[in-house]
Structures are given as C-alpha cells and as structure tokens.
C-alpha cells in the first residue's frame, strides 16, 4: 500500500470515531454523488417547508444554478454561508410557481440541530482534468474543509500539498459544489497546517496565502504538528464547525480587499476563555505578544459575545485613544458587514453594526436603546464616560428609567491594550455606574509584581489586580517558536572606557569606586551623556561604514531597511538631531573603512533623518518650542522637496509613512526615511517590517524595553533578526534584558534560551558547529549510503548555517573575519553537498512504522519556501567595477569576476562570459558598463518581442505593463488591454499552450508573470 494512501486511511479512521462525529461515506466518489447527497440533505432539513414533497429534478436543477451564483467567488461563498442571522439559505421557485426559502447551513447548530457531518475521499470532480482530491469534510452535504496529504518524505513536505491545492484550484477543481470550500488543511503527517481559502485562484493570491499557513498549538502553546493529533484536536466536532462558523471572518473594506481570514490557535484559545469566563461573570486578562493580532482577537471576542452568549446583554470594545485616532472607522467596519454579524439595525452607515466610533451622541443613543445582540460598541474610555453621563442626563430629563435598566444589565468590556486604554481609576468609576459589568484586558506586556505601576492609594498596580487572573498566554517566545516574528540580536556598547568610567564614578562617589561594573554603572547619572562628545561618539558608532552595510541592509549601494534611535528626553533627541545634521553637512559623520569591495554605499543622500516626539502643551517655553518644531518641519520638507508642514499631526503621519515604506511612492527615488530619532513615540503600536535596527541611548527595562525591541522583529525578506544596539551602561542593560525576557517569557525554566546571545557566545558556538559538521561529513564518507548519517550531516550544516548568518551580523565579527576565511570560504561548498543530500533523503521512502527515522526527520527543514534564508547578492556596481578592471588589465580582476558570476543564473553567466571575451579582444575605447547595459537591454527587448510575436500581443502595451509590474504583488498591469490586442487564433492558442481558449486570461497572466520575473533578474544586473 502506498504510504500516502495508508496515511489517508488512518486519517479517515480517526475522523470516523464516535467521539469525533464524522460519518465516512464510502459510497460517494464523484461530484454527481455529492450533488445527490446535498439534495437528500435539503429534503431532510426542510421537511416541513417542503410539506413532504421532495425536491424534483427540475427544481434541483434550478437550485444548482442558484448555488453556483451564490458561490461564484470564494468571498461570495463565505458571505453566503454566514447567512442572515447565522443561517445560510437558498431560494427555490417550486414547479407550482410558489417561492420558498430552504435552510442549507447553520452557524449556530453546532453538534446539534439539523447539522450532519460526513467525510468523503478520492472524489473525481466534473472538470476536464480528472484530478482526485484526497479528503473532504461535508456539513449538511456541503464541502467546507478540504485536506491534501503527502508522505513524510514528500519533496518540500506540506508545501507540496499546498501547491497541489493551488494547481487544482487553477484547473477548476474547486468550482461546482466544491466552490463552498472554506478552509484547507495540508500535511505530510509529521507537519500539518491549516489556512483559509484564498480570495482568487491566481498565483499571486496563493503566494500571499503562503504567509498564513498556521500550525496548531494547544492551549499551553505546545505545537501539534502530527496530522492525527491535529485531527483529534481541531477537526473533531464541534471544533471543526466552530472553526468555520465562528473563528473565520470576512474582511471587506468596501474597496479592493475582500477575503476570508481564519484565526490562529492562540486567538481561538483566548476567545474561548473569554467566552467561558463571561458566562460566569468573571473577568481576567489575555497576554498575547506584540504583533500577534490582539485587536482582531478583541474584536471577534466582542462580536461573538454580542451574538451568541446567553447572559450577556451588551459587549463594548475599549480601544486606546491614539489607536482610535490613527485607525480609521474602516479598520473596524471592514470586519463587520451585515452578512457575518447578523441583521443590521437602524440606519447604520455602510451597513455596519459597529457604533460608537464616530461620536458620543451615537454611543449615547445605543446605550439607551433596547439591548441588541447584533450591535458591537467600540469606544475610548473617555468617550464612554462622557456618553454615560449624557445617557443619565437624558434619561432623567425624559423621566424614563432606561438608564436604571442599563445599570442592571450584564455588560462585558473587552479592552484592547489593557493598560494604555483604561486606567484602574477609570475602570472603577465605570464599575460604580455599571455594577454588573465584567472586564477583560488584552496586553502584550502585562504588569506583574516585578514591574508594577507606582499607583497611589488602593489603585491596582498589576494587570491581575486590575482585571483578574491570566486566562491565556502567547508570549514573544511562543511567537518566535512559531516563526511569526524574528528573534533579537543585541550588541552592548559603552562609549566610556573603563578608566573614564572609574574616574567619573570616583568623582561622584567621594573617590570610592566599586569593583563591580554593575555597581559602577548604577552611580552614573544621565547628565554624563548629555554632552557633544558622547553624541559624536555614538553617531560615529552608528555610521561606521562597515556597520551601515549590515544594520541598514545596503543592497546595490542603497539602504533597504530603516532604524530608530531612542533617547531619554526631547532635549537630548534635539541635541542628537542637530549634531547629526551638522556632521553630515561638514562630512565628518561616516567613520571606518568600507565593508569590502563587493558592498558599498553609493547613496549620496544617506542618511535621511527625521525627529519626532509628542509635544507637551503645558511646557513653559511653548512659543520657543513651536518655533523650533516649525524649523524642524521646514528642514524635513526641504529634505523631500515637499510643501512645508505646519501641522504636527500631518508631519508625524508623513514620518510614519516614509519610515514604513508600505506605499509604493515611498519605496523609490530616495523618498524613504533611514533613521528616525524618538523619545517614546513609535516605540509602541507602530509596526513596520522594514525597521531592522533599534539604537538605544537611554536606560530601559521591562515592558518599555520589550515593546521597543518589538519594533524590529517583524518578518521581512532579507531580514534575519531584529537588531538592537545600546550605548549606555552595558552591564546594567544586559541585566535589564535578562530580567525582561525572564518576566515576559512565562516559562521560568527556558527563558534563558530567549535572551539574545552576545557575540562571544555565538563565536564559540561557531567553532563547535564547524567541528560537528566536519565530523558528520567524515562519518558519511565512511558509510556513504547510511540514511541516518545523511540526516546528521544535513542537520549539522543547517545549525552551522544559522549560526554563521547570526555571527556575520555582529560588528565584532569584523575583527575575526580574516582569520576565519579558511572556514567561511568553504561554507558554500558545504551547502552544495547538503542540497544533494536533501534530495537523496527525500528520494528514500520511510520504512513503515520506522519511528526512529520519523523522529530524525523532525528538525530537518524541507519546506524551503517558508524557511528560505536571505542570500548575499552581488551588487551590480561591483560587477561594473570588475568589468572596468578587466578592461584595464588589473591583476586578479578576471579571477574575481569569474568567482562572482558563478552566483548568477546560467543565462546571465553566459552573457557575462561573452562580455568578458569582448572586452579582452577589443580596444580600450569601449565603455564596459555601456556595453553591459546594451546587452541586457537587448536581451530584455528580445524576450519581450518574442512573447509579443508568439501570442500577437501589442508590444507597446506589453512594455508599459513590464515597466509598471511589481514582482512582490504579481499583478499584471493592463492585462485586459493586452488580451484585447491578442491576435492569435483559438486553434493556435490551444496548440501552443495545451490549454482551452476559455482559460486564456489565466494562461496569459501566468506566462507574463514568468516572463516579467525572468526580465526582473536581468534588470537587477543593470
């Protein structure tokens, strides 16, 4: 029996067990069988509506037409299944002419009511390509979850199953009755992921989805990679039905975004805990790491309590005032259209059920209205307090007792950003007015005894005291383990020598200098760092030429990532800003020698710097401050040749956009920011994946430290770590970092693994890992066909490669780089050997029941798409320099050139070899760079003209599409116009492509995506 089929049979057997509640339908094998089964369920569920007259053939034919209309896109299918008040329905005109509405699917009848749960496998759909799907789960006869399975050693593991689903979708498999599919599961038995159905069956939609393949974790954050364990926990009833009905949401911004989103495991566990405790009138707090989607968790918890929980009269989501100012109403309303929250009430704008965002009056009106389980209230605590006062006054004025009734209701408050949004004082004030209220807080950095607030009197000092016990935790460590965020790398610097520090301490401490460096640093006062020498030394450290290449990830001479510098006061921030501008102006900013000849900074405007801080309206010298800010905003405008800013909010908003580089206009022509100097602004709640480095010129600990660190660890291509560089009190900062990660790890035994390693430790590990790899290689030479030895060598290299990547990113590595060259130059050779070994391991089937091999494979990374590491690229300007050196007969130029082009695509290698030959044969009056550019542009023209001629596409329109194409988005500009120009005949198209002419849009789209991506590799050489 094939390994895959064996896994499938075991999978179905587990699903079919009594406790999991799925019934295996071996008799269903075709799409026609599925339609017939669906018809039987419609008759069963709607017995009374049909009045004992089953659906006729003609009526069912019309139902199928209506079904296809309702499921014409994945978004429409999801919208329909959510239904009106949670019931999906389908309209039928009976043969008699009478119209009736049939119930199809209930989001409320979970593990009860009319819901029926069936499992089918190896279905052949009604498509021209007779692909067989592995396993499909049906609710009331409707396919809602589809599973594709691979064997343990399948090439690239579960990713192969993912791409198989993509191919099936592009070929029409998920049309017809399969158009109702909501979720997919992919597994190679040892690694299992689930994800929401993409919004379109296009390569770009699936590429975006790759980032959202979630593994399951238990409530205690223990990973559940094994398919069979996953099945028992996630796919059993009622859990699978809940995943579809309650933990998947539709996103609709009324513009371009329309897609289905499924929650991650920790979000689901948190919502279940909130729901469980709300039913008992008991509060508590949720601890979810920064960047883990707390706002969505808060919102969905609020929505589900408003809709479903018996005993809860109203739910209110409380958000931080700043967050509400910065997030538009659309950010909330895009999750709350009528079709997935129930019937709309009143005259709510955009059919939304969210009230309270826009104004206090709207909130007051809702509080005084009769309770509605379809209404979601979102407010700040300040607006809520004002609305409560207004409601009381209005109730008294009109002589009604509505406010008193409100006081008796069970109102649940869910607070996003538990401590920023609501103080204990404010919460107590509301609790006096609403004594039956229950409160839940969500936070990424809870307040414990160790970092408790310094509150006066009896006010709560910890999160537990304010909200109640911890209900669920998903910490930064969990997020790192999940690869949802990056780890941190910290470099601790002191700009004072030991002698200078001892001299200052002696002066401050009556000539008494403690031997312990930590005790010395605790005596140092802030004023010591408020001088030009400190600032100048810090800026020289930041703008060391070799450090710049790494910290700002310079590619082709330009920075691709940004940094934040935080200091202790606005006054100090300004000092740094002015000093930096002065040093940049007079040419004294950069220090040190260039990184190497392959990596150079050619951006003449670097660094583009801004300063941002929250001004204090109560400051004494407000006029001076306003004048100074006006001058800073004017300089900022000059930097980007824009209209001068006069409004601080608009100035700060523009800084955010240029720093995060999310909009296309800030990704090119030097329109971005490289460095922003701050005090506290941007250190909480600001998420920009392009921020790689945080420079710290202050003391920090606990929640402020972790929140600041977390600005750097968002995942982004070419980024391996969030980099942190400190400039004060290194011994104290090391202690603060250790205490912070211990406090916020929630795992007392393993928090040390989370503390970022110093260079010396990483360097020591490197030596050990090199030895391990060389031993593993030697063992395989002795036993060349031994699978275990192969796996050991792959594992040893993957550990070495990961360590080396970290080692190179430390500034201190430069001191050791030359002495390690005899080893580091061999790493590419090691990698080539290991790639061959991985292929050999995959080709060998795992023996039945061989648990030892299965365990050995667990920590080998086969899913290369998801684990791809950033490779160094050869900058084009360095190649240009080598071409000139070849032309000038410089020694070693040819050897260096040959070494570099080996990294290139074979076609590009060929072009460079021809170019080198021409330069050696022809006279010196040729411009080598111009000749290279001509060859590349000629190749681009050739590729474009070839495709244009082959399919009769307008060359001019094709060039326009190429110029506007963005490889990260994969959308083909002007695709409809290109298709309109296509002159190829239907017969020729089908002969050339092997595809039906009706699929020409998708076929041409894929052909052009491949063409433009190929051309992009050529463009990178320009």
């Amino acid at each position: 029996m094939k390994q895959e089929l064996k896994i499938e049979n075991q999978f179905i057997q587990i699903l079919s067990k009594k406790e999991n509640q799925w019934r295996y339908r071996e008799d269903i094998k075709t799409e026609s069988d599925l339609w017939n089964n669906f018809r039987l369920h419609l008759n069963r569920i709607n017995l009374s509506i049909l009045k004992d007259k089953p659906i006729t053939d003609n009526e069912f034919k019309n139902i199928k037409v209506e079904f296809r209309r309702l499921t014409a896109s994945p978004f429409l299918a999801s919208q329909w299944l959510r239904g009106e008040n949670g019931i999906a329905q389908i309209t039928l005109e009976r043969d008699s002419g009478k119209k009736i509405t049939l119930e199809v699917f209930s989001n409320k009848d979970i593990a009860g009511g009319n819901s029926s749960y069936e499992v089918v496998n190896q279905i052949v759909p009604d498509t021209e390509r007779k692909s067989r799907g592995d396993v499909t789960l049906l609710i009331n006869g409707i396919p809602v979850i589809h599973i594709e399975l691979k064997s343990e050693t399948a090439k690239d593991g579960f990713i192969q199953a993912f791409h198989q689903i993509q191919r099936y979708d592009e070929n029409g498999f998920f049309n017809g009755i399969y158009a109702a599919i909501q979720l997919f599961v992919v597994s190679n038995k040892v690694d299992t992921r689930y994800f929401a159905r993409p919004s379109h069956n296009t390569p770009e939609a699936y590429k975006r989805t790759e980032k959202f393949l979630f593994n399951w974790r238990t409530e205690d954050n223990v990973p559940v990679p094994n398919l069979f364990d996953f099945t028992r926990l996630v796919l059993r009833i009622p859990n699978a039905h809940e995943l579809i009905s309650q933990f998947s949401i539709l996103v609709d911004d009324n513009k371009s975004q329309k897609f289905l989103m499924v929650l991650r495991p920790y979000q689901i566990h948190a919502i279940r805990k909130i729901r469980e405790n709300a039913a008992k009138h008991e509060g508590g707090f949720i601890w979810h790491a920064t960047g883990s989607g707390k706002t969505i968790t808060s919102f969905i918890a609020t929505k589900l309590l408003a809709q479903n929980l018996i005993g809860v009269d109203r739910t209110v989501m409380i958000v931080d005032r700043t967050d509400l100012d910065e997030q538009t109403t659309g950010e909330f309303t895009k999750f709350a259209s009528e079709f997935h929250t129930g019937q709309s009430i009143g005259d709510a704008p955009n059919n939304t059920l969210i009230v309270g965002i826009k104004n206090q009056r709207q909130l007051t009106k809702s509080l005084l209205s009769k309770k509605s389980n379809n209404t979601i209230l979102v407010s700040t605590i300040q607006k809520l307090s004002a609305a409560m006062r207004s409601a009381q006054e209005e109730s008294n004025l009109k002589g009604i007792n509505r406010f008193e009734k409100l006081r008796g209701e069970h109102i649940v408050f869910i607070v996003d950003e538990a401590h920023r949004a609501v103080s204990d004082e404010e919460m107590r004030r509301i609790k006096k007015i609403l004594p039956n209220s229950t409160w839940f807080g969500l936070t990424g950095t809870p307040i414990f005894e160790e970092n408790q607030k310094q509150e006066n009197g009896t006010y709560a000092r910890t999160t537990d005291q304010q909200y109640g016990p911890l209900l669920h935790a998903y910490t930064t460590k969990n997020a790192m383990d999940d690869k949802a965020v990056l780890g941190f790398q910290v470099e601790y610097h002191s700009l004072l020598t030991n002698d200078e520090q001892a001299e200052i301490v002696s002066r401050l401490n009556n000539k008494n200098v403690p031997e312990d460096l930590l005790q010395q640093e605790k005596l140092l006062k802030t004023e010591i760092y408020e001088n030009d020498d400190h600032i100048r030394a810090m800026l020289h450290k930041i703008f060391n030429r070799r450090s710049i290449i790494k910290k700002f990830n310079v590619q082709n001479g330009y920075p691709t990532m940004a940094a934040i510098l935080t200091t202790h006061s606005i006054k100090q921030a300004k000092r740094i800003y002015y000093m930096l501008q002065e040093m940049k102006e007079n040419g004294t900013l950069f220090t040190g020698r260039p990184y190497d000849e392959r990596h150079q900074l050619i951006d003449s405007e670097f660094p583009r710097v801004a300063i941002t801080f929250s001004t204090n309206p109560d400051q004494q010298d407000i006029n001076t401050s306003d004048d100074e800010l006006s001058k800073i905003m004017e300089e900022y405008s000059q930097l980007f040749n824009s209209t001068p800013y006069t409004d601080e909010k608009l100035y700060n908003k523009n800084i955010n956009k240029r720093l995060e580089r999310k909009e296309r206009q800030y990704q090119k022509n030097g329109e971005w920011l490289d460095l922003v100097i701050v005090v506290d602004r941007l250190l909480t709640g600001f998420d920009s994946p392009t921020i790689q480095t945080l420079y710290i010129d202050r003391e920090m600990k606990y929640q402020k430290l972790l929140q600041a660190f977390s600005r750097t660890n968002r995942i982004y291509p070419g980024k391996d770590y969030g980099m942190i560089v400190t400039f004060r009190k290194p011994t104290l900062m090391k202690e603060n970092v250790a205490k912070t990660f211990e406090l916020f790890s929630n795992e007392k035994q393993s928090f040390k693994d989370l503390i970022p390693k110093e260079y010396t430790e990483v360097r020591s590990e490197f030596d050990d890992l090199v030895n391990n790899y060389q031993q593993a290689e030697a063992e395989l030479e002795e036993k060349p066909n031994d699978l275990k030895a192969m796996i050991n060598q792959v594992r040893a290299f993957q550990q070495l490669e990961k360590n080396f990547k970290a080692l190179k990113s430390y500034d201190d590595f430069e001191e050791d780089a030359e002495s390690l060259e005899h080893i580091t130059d061999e790493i590419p050779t090691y990698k080539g050997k290991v790639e061959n070994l991985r292929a050999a391991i995959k080709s060998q089937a795992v023996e039945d029941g061989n648990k030892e091999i299965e365990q050995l494979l667990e920590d080998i990374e086969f899913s290369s798409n998801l684990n791809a590491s950033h490779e160094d690229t050869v900058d084009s300007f360095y190649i240009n320099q080598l071409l000139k050196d070849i032309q000038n007969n410089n020694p070693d130029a040819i050897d260096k050139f040959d070494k570099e082009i080996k990294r290139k695509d074979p076609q590009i290698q060929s072009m460079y070899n021809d170019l080198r030959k021409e330069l050696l044969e022809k006279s010196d009056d040729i411009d080598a760079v111009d000749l290279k550019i001509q060859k590349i542009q000629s190749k681009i023209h050739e590729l474009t003209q070839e495709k244009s001629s082959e399919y009769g596409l307008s060359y001019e329109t094709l060039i326009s599409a190429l110029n506007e194409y963005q490889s990260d988005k994969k959308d083909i500009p002007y695709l409809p116009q290109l298709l309109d120009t296509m002159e190829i005949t239907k017969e020729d198209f089908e002969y050339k492509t092997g595809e039906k002419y009706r699929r020409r849009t998708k076929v041409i789209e894929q052909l052009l995506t491949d063409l433009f991506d190929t051309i992009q590799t050529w463009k990178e050489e320009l």
Side-chain angles (χ1 to χ4, degrees):
M1 183 185 293
K2 276 182 64 179
Q3 188 69 18
E4 266 181 43
L5 191 56
K6 182 181 177 183
I7 293 170
E8 185 177 307
N9 288 340
Q10 286 179 277
F11 174 59
I12 292 171
Q13 186 181 9
I14 292 169
L15 283 169
S16 305
K17 285 184 177 179
K18 185 178 179 181
E19 65 269 21
N20 297 326
Q21 296 191 47
W22 293 97
R23 182 163 67 98
Y24 179 43
R25 294 295 304 275
E26 192 174 5
D27 56 313
I28 298 176
K29 288 299 174 190
T30 67
E31 190 164 349
S32 296
D33 293 340
L34 284 174
W35 281 116
N36 291 334
N37 184 53
F38 176 49
R39 179 173 172 176
L40 292 171
H41 282 291
L42 285 177
N43 283 322
R44 172 183 64 82
I45 295 168
N46 298 283
L47 200 60
S48 61
I49 298 169
L50 293 168
K51 300 189 183 303
D52 294 326
K53 293 181 180 178
I55 297 165
T56 67
D57 290 346
N58 183 59
E59 288 171 346
F60 191 64
K61 184 179 177 183
N62 291 333
I63 284 173
K64 288 171 75 172
V65 171
E66 180 67 0
F67 182 96
R68 289 190 174 100
R69 184 186 72 80
L70 292 167
T71 60
S73 72
F75 183 84
L76 288 172
S78 302
Q79 175 180 327
W80 171 58
L81 284 175
R82 266 139 194 79
E84 188 173 296
N85 285 324
I87 305 294
Q89 300 172 324
I90 198 164
T91 302
L92 169 66
E93 183 175 340
R94 305 224 66 175
D95 292 339
S96 64
K98 182 182 178 182
K99 283 190 176 182
I100 59 173
T101 301
L102 303 178
E103 182 180 324
V104 179
F105 181 92
S106 173
N107 291 282
K108 296 178 179 178
D109 288 347
I110 295 175
N114 286 320
S115 295
S116 169
Y117 305 104
E118 297 164 314
V119 54
V120 296
N121 71 321
Q122 297 297 315
I123 299 293
V124 179
D126 294 340
T127 63
E128 292 173 359
R129 296 192 177 187
K130 299 299 181 185
S131 307
R132 289 178 183 270
D134 283 348
V135 181
T136 308
L137 305 184
L138 318 174
I139 299 181
N140 292 349
I142 302 172
V144 288
I145 300 175
H146 183 75
I147 302 99
E148 282 296 324
L149 304 170
K150 296 294 170 189
S151 65
E152 291 98 317
T153 51
K155 183 177 180 291
D156 287 334
F158 63 85
I159 276 292
Q160 187 179 344
F162 172 79
H163 289 310
Q164 184 165 316
I165 285 174
Q166 179 181 347
R167 288 195 302 275
Y168 283 3
D169 202 356
E170 290 175 358
N171 292 330
F173 186 104
F174 299 110
N175 295 337
I177 196 167
Y178 268 95
I181 289 287
Q182 299 290 284
L183 296 177
F184 291 116
V185 176
V186 289
S187 178
N188 66 335
K189 184 182 172 186
V190 295
D191 202 347
T192 306
R193 308 293 168 101
Y194 71 98
F195 61 99
R197 185 178 179 186
S199 54
H200 300 93
N201 61 345
T202 58
E204 55 270 21
Y206 272 86
K207 188 68 180 173
R208 286 193 296 268
T209 301
E210 273 192 50
K211 300 174 186 175
F212 302 101
L213 273 61
F214 304 145
N215 63 349
W216 189 258
R217 283 177 174 263
T218 66
E219 192 178 305
D220 296 326
N221 294 308
V222 177
V224 184
N226 181 274
L227 171 67
F228 304 143
D229 294 335
F230 176 90
T231 304
R232 294 181 187 98
L233 288 172
V234 183
L235 296 182
R236 67 187 297 270
I237 297 301
N239 295 1
H241 197 153
E242 283 187 330
L243 197 59
I244 295 289
S245 298
Q246 299 183 355
F247 301 126
S248 299
I249 55 173
L250 283 167
V251 178
D252 180 6
D253 65 355
N254 292 318
K255 295 176 186 174
S256 58
Q257 286 193 86
K258 288 181 184 289
F259 59 90
L260 181 66
M261 177 190 293
V262 62
L263 298 186
R264 295 173 183 259
Y266 58 83
Q267 294 174 306
I268 294 170
H269 293 314
I271 292 168
R272 283 175 172 158
K273 282 290 185 182
I274 290 172
R275 190 166 58 188
E276 180 186 317
N277 271 44
K280 298 185 290 188
H281 286 234
E282 295 175 0
F285 74 96
I286 303 296
W287 172 12
H288 281 183
T290 303
S292 62
K294 289 190 296 296
T295 299
I296 292 177
T297 305
S298 303
F299 183 84
I300 302 305
T302 305
K303 184 190 84 167
L304 291 176
L305 291 186
Q307 287 180 289
N308 302 321
L309 198 65
I310 297 169
V312 173
D313 298 307
R314 297 174 194 271
T315 55
V316 183
M317 178 177 169
I318 302 292
V319 297
D320 178 59
R321 182 188 292 178
T322 306
D323 290 343
L324 191 54
D325 286 343
E326 292 182 358
Q327 295 189 55
T328 62
T329 305
E331 272 300 298
F332 293 103
T333 58
K334 71 182 183 183
F335 297 119
S337 303
E338 177 178 43
F339 41 74
H340 63 112
T341 54
Q343 283 280 25
S344 180
I345 57 169
D347 54 357
N350 296 325
N351 211 22
T352 179
L353 302 177
I354 299 179
V355 298
I357 292 179
K358 286 192 172 180
N359 56 60
Q360 174 193 322
R361 188 179 211 176
Q362 185 191 46
L363 186 56
T364 301
K365 183 179 176 183
S366 181
L367 289 170
L368 287 176
S369 67
K370 290 182 179 179
K371 65 184 182 185
S372 169
N373 283 351
N374 292 323
T375 305
I376 300 168
L377 305 180
V378 179
S379 177
T380 64
I381 198 71
Q382 295 83 4
K383 192 179 291 182
L384 178 68
S385 296
M388 297 281 279
R389 289 194 298 271
S390 178
Q392 188 169 15
E393 290 167 6
E394 189 174 327
S395 187
N396 292 337
L397 188 65
K398 293 182 178 179
I400 56 177
N401 65 350
R402 183 68 208 109
F403 190 75
E404 283 306 310
K405 286 183 179 178
L406 180 70
R407 281 174 53 81
E409 290 180 2
H410 181 205
I411 302 178
V412 174
F413 291 93
I414 296 178
V415 185
D416 186 36
E417 293 299 346
H419 296 291
R420 290 211 325 258
V422 179
S423 70
D424 190 47
E425 183 179 5
E426 291 165 325
M427 187 188 292
R428 290 188 188 193
R429 194 182 309 124
I430 299 292
K431 280 184 173 180
K432 280 186 180 178
I433 302 170
L434 303 171
N436 290 328
S437 60
T438 303
W439 293 72
F440 297 94
L442 284 86
T443 179
T445 48
I447 308 298
F448 299 109
E449 292 294 335
E450 295 91 332
N451 62 324
Q452 63 183 328
K453 296 184 287 184
Q454 302 303 309
E455 297 285 9
N456 294 323
T458 60
Y459 289 123
R461 298 187 177 196
T462 67
T463 311
D464 184 291
Q465 290 168 4
Q466 184 172 344
Y467 287 95
L470 173 64
L471 302 181
H472 187 260
Y474 179 80
T475 66
T476 301
K477 182 180 187 303
N478 300 139
M480 287 179 185
D481 291 344
D482 248 350
K483 297 184 180 177
V485 297
L486 300 171
F488 300 112
Q489 173 191 293
V490 187
E491 298 179 41
Y492 303 95
H493 297 293
S494 174
L495 303 179
L496 297 170
T497 66
N498 287 346
D499 290 343
E500 287 170 339
Q501 180 168 298
E503 184 183 333
I504 293 168
V505 170
S506 175
R507 198 165 57 243
L508 292 171
N509 199 37
N510 295 321
K511 297 187 178 180
N512 179 24
V513 181
E515 286 188 19
D516 183 48
L517 288 176
L518 180 60
Q519 296 308 314
Q520 286 185 28
E521 289 175 1
K522 286 180 177 179
L523 294 169
L524 296 176
K525 296 180 179 178
T526 302
E527 293 78 21
I528 292 164
Y529 304 99
E530 295 177 338
N531 60 67
D532 288 353
D533 288 343
H534 169 79
I535 294 170
R536 192 178 292 107
M538 178 177 66
L539 292 174
H540 277 155
K541 197 81 175 172
I542 293 172
F543 294 104
N544 175 280
R545 289 182 176 88
R546 298 176 79 80
S547 184
I548 288 168
I549 299 296
K550 302 173 190 176
K551 300 300 191 291
F552 293 89
N553 198 19
V554 174
Q555 298 292 329
N556 273 320
Y558 289 85
T560 61
M561 293 185 197
I564 292 175
L565 166 59
T566 176
T567 191
H568 65 275
S569 70
I570 292 174
K571 188 176 179 182
Q572 179 77 348
K574 290 175 183 174
R575 282 198 191 100
I576 296 168
Y577 172 78
Y578 292 132
M579 176 73 76
L580 194 157
Q581 298 291 16
E582 180 187 323
M583 292 170 70
K584 183 181 177 182
E585 185 69 28
N586 62 30
T588 61
L589 185 61
F590 300 122
T591 59
R593 56 197 173 95
Y595 186 77
D596 63 29
E597 58 184 6
R598 291 181 63 240
H599 300 83
Q600 301 173 44
L601 178 70
I602 62 173
D603 182 359
S604 58
E605 296 299 317
F606 179 87
R608 296 162 186 81
V609 179
I611 179 171
T612 178
F613 46 80
S614 300
T615 54
N616 179 3
D618 299 323
Q619 60 196 337
Q620 293 178 354
D621 196 7
I622 192 164
N623 293 329
T624 304
S625 175
D626 283 348
D627 290 343
E628 196 169 16
L629 181 59
S630 295
K631 184 175 182 296
I632 288 170
M633 291 194 294
E634 186 179 342
E635 288 175 357
Y636 177 82
S637 301
Q638 289 169 356
L639 178 63
F640 296 107
N641 296 316
S642 62
T643 306
Y645 284 95
T646 56
D647 183 293
E648 185 185 352
K649 278 190 177 180
L650 292 176
Y651 165 71
N652 285 336
K653 189 175 182 181
N654 190 258
I655 284 175
N656 291 5
K657 288 185 174 183
R658 291 187 189 275
L659 184 59
E660 64 192 12
R661 302 192 198 188
K662 288 179 181 175
E663 296 177 27
R664 192 178 178 187
Q665 68 191 86
Y666 302 122
Q667 296 169 357
K668 58 183 183 178
N669 303 327
E671 291 296 320
W672 59 79
L673 274 166
D674 299 306
L675 177 72
V676 177
I677 303 167
V678 306
V679 179
D680 289 316
R681 194 176 174 271
L682 301 182
L683 297 187
T684 58
F686 179 71
D687 290 334
S688 170
T690 51
I691 295 173
Q692 175 169 261
T693 308
L694 173 71
Y695 296 105
I696 302 177
D697 180 43
R698 62 190 289 187
E699 291 178 47
M700 302 184 90
K701 63 180 180 179
Y702 294 135
Q703 63 270 23
K704 277 197 171 184
L705 183 145
L706 185 56
Q707 286 167 350
F709 274 32
S710 298
R711 297 316 102 211
T712 67
N713 72 339
R714 298 300 181 272
I715 291 172
Y716 190 74
K719 184 176 170 184
D720 298 312
Y721 301 92
M723 297 184 176
I724 315 295
V725 183
T726 74
F727 296 112
R728 298 187 190 184
K729 304 184 180 181
T731 312
L732 179 63
M733 282 300 292
K734 286 176 198 174
E735 182 179 77
N736 287 352
V737 169
K739 285 182 176 178
T740 296
F741 282 112
E742 179 178 11
L743 183 65
F744 292 117
S745 71
N746 198 35
E747 297 180 37
K748 298 293 183 184
Q749 302 305 312
S750 58
F751 79 91
K752 290 181 180 177
D753 295 336
L754 192 59
I755 298 172
K757 295 173 181 176
E758 294 183 60
Y759 175 76
T760 51
E761 188 179 353
V762 179
R763 174 71 177 81
S764 176
E765 284 179 357
F766 176 76
D767 293 337
D768 293 339
L769 291 170
V770 168
N771 288 333
N772 289 348
Y773 174 78
Q774 291 172 345
Q775 285 177 17
E777 193 176 77
E779 286 172 14
L780 186 59
E781 285 176 3
E782 290 180 13
K783 297 181 284 184
N785 297 315
D786 185 76
L787 184 61
K788 188 173 180 180
M790 289 182 192
I791 292 169
N792 285 339
Q793 186 171 333
V794 172
R795 181 189 295 110
F797 175 77
Q798 288 181 342
Q799 291 169 346
L800 172 61
E801 184 182 40
K802 185 177 180 181
N803 170 277
F804 182 51
K805 193 185 300 178
L807 189 72
K808 288 189 298 181
S809 61
Y810 288 90
D811 289 347
D812 288 345
F813 174 71
E814 301 312 320
E815 302 298 322
D816 294 333
E818 194 172 337
S819 65
L820 290 173
E821 276 182 359
H822 67 288
I823 297 171
T824 57
D825 284 351
E826 287 298 308
I827 288 180
T829 306
Y830 296 167
K831 183 164 189 163
K833 292 178 181 178
V834 165
E835 286 302 312
N836 292 334
L837 284 176
R838 288 208 312 175
I841 292 167
K842 290 171 192 172
S843 69
Q844 293 194 33
V846 177
E847 297 176 21
D848 289 351
N850 192 334
K851 296 295 181 185
E852 182 187 5
I853 296 298
E854 188 175 315
Q855 289 166 4
L856 285 170
L857 286 171
E858 279 181 351
D859 58 351
I860 299 296
E861 294 180 349
F862 284 113
S863 304
S864 53
N865 312 46
L866 298 183
N867 298 299
S869 60
H870 173 63
E871 299 286 347
D872 281 342
T873 57
V874 183
D875 292 334
S876 62
F877 63 78
Y878 176 56
I879 291 286
N880 293 346
Q881 186 59 52
L882 289 177
L883 288 170
K884 292 174 184 175
D885 290 345
I886 290 172
Q887 201 171 15
N888 295 329
N889 296 315
N890 286 3
D892 301 327
I894 292 177
D895 288 342
K896 288 179 180 178
F897 182 78
D898 289 347
K899 183 179 178 182
E900 296 302 345
I901 66 170
K902 282 180 182 177
R903 304 167 182 263
K904 304 289 184 182
D905 179 272
Q907 282 191 54
I908 293 171
Q909 281 186 42
S910 177
M911 181 274 293
Y912 275 125
N913 285 326
D914 291 344
L915 182 57
R916 180 190 60 184
K917 186 178 177 184
E918 264 184 80
L919 290 174
L920 291 171
E921 290 175 354
K922 294 191 177 179
S923 60
D924 293 343
D925 58 354
I926 295 173
D927 187 310
V929 176
D930 281 351
L931 186 59
K932 174 190 137 179
I933 291 170
Q934 287 171 25
K935 284 183 174 293
I936 292 172
Q937 289 178 337
S938 174
K939 184 64 179 179
I940 292 171
H941 171 75
E942 177 191 325
L943 290 168
T944 313
Q945 186 65 57
E946 184 182 292
K947 203 61 69 179
S948 170
S949 301
E950 188 177 2
Y951 292 96
L953 303 170
S954 163
Y955 178 77
E956 291 74 19
T957 309
L958 196 55
I959 289 294
S960 297
L962 172 61
N963 291 338
E964 294 187 30
Y965 176 72
Q966 296 179 62
S967 57
D968 58 330
K969 295 185 178 175
K970 301 289 185 186
D971 293 323
I972 302 296
Y974 308 117
L975 182 61
Q977 292 89 328
L978 280 165
L979 290 167
D980 287 343
T981 69
M982 192 168 73
E983 295 178 352
I984 189 172
T985 65
K986 176 177 181 290
E987 291 74 19
D988 283 349
F989 177 89
E990 292 183 347
Y991 176 76
K992 282 177 181 292
T993 64
E995 297 277 2
K996 292 295 181 184
Y997 189 69
R998 57 182 166 77
R999 292 197 73 247
R1000 60 190 177 280
T1001 300
K1002 293 194 179 303
V1003 172
I1004 293 296
E1005 183 178 35
Q1006 186 58 54
L1007 284 169
L1008 294 183
T1009 299
D1010 294 342
L1011 170 68
F1012 289 177
D1013 284 343
T1014 300
I1015 288 174
Q1016 187 61 35
T1017 64
W1018 284 91
K1019 281 186 171 183
E1020 286 168 4
E1021 302 303 316
L1022 290 171

